[in-house]
Amino acid sequence: MTTVEDQQDKEVAAVDDVAEPPSGTVKRSPGAMLKAQRETLELSVQQVAEQLNLTMHFVRCLESDSYEKLPGDVFVRGYIRTYSRMLKLDPEQLLLIYDEYNSNKIARKEEAIKRRRRRIKDRNRPWIIISGVAFIAVAVALWYWSPGADDDASAGA
């Protein structure tokens, strides 16, 4: 049995052992940082999966930033926290980077949706204009050739 003091000593020791993220990473995403650190420590995906009690698929998804293939945001945050602790990275820093990455991804997705809607709207505009002009032309033609138009012209003369 471990006492509360032993547990606190382990947590303090774990904080002291935290390594800085690899400086050679150009891409600032949590997955890239995790993968770079795993490769630095010469661990395989299978070894990581066994230590984290995850499938290799989940580990690959974390490293490739394919979070939509994972159960949910709460689980992803837990996986990142646990994985970063295992690799002796700062979990809070990685979670901040994950939040930033996620918000940028959502912003890009919203911008793509806006562009798609604008494109659809622009694609329909010529048909709307042509339809309006055709409607006005038909209305003018019907008014001009209607039987009442001759009566108005002769009555005024």
Side-chain angles (χ1 to χ4, degrees), residues 1 5 21 45 64 87 103 111 133 135:
M1 277 193 179
E5 291 175 10
V45 174
S64 65
L87 297 176
S103 64
E111 183 61 32
V133 169
F135 177 76

Side-chain angles (χ1 to χ4, degrees), residues 50-146:
E50 288 172 1
Q51 286 184 1
L52 295 177
N53 292 322
L54 295 174
T55 63
M56 288 175 32
H57 169 75
F58 278 22
V59 174
R60 285 189 193 109
C61 287
L62 285 170
E63 290 182 351
S64 65
D65 299 312
S66 301
Y67 305 116
E68 64 279 353
K69 296 178 182 177
L70 296 171
D73 188 57
V74 173
F75 289 100
V76 171
R77 295 176 71 77
Y79 297 155
I80 289 174
R81 183 176 285 117
T82 307
Y83 193 2
S84 61
R85 282 183 186 145
M86 187 193 91
L87 297 176
K88 299 195 182 341
L89 293 172
D90 181 19
E92 296 308 315
Q93 181 184 9
L94 246 63
L95 288 173
L96 288 173
I97 294 169
Y98 167 72
D99 290 337
E100 179 183 325
Y101 179 84
N102 222 14
S103 64
N104 288 341
K105 191 173 184 178
I106 290 170
R108 285 191 310 264
K109 192 179 289 186
E110 288 174 355
E111 183 61 32
I113 290 170
K114 286 180 184 177
R115 279 195 310 265
R116 191 175 312 122
R117 286 182 182 160
R118 196 174 315 125
R119 224 178 295 132
I120 290 170
K121 183 179 175 184
D122 291 345
R123 188 179 331 144
N124 291 337
R125 184 171 288 144
W127 290 108
I128 293 170
I129 292 171
I130 290 170
S131 299
V133 169
F135 177 76
I136 291 171
V138 168
V140 168
L142 288 174
W143 174 76
Y144 183 74
W145 286 306
S146 69

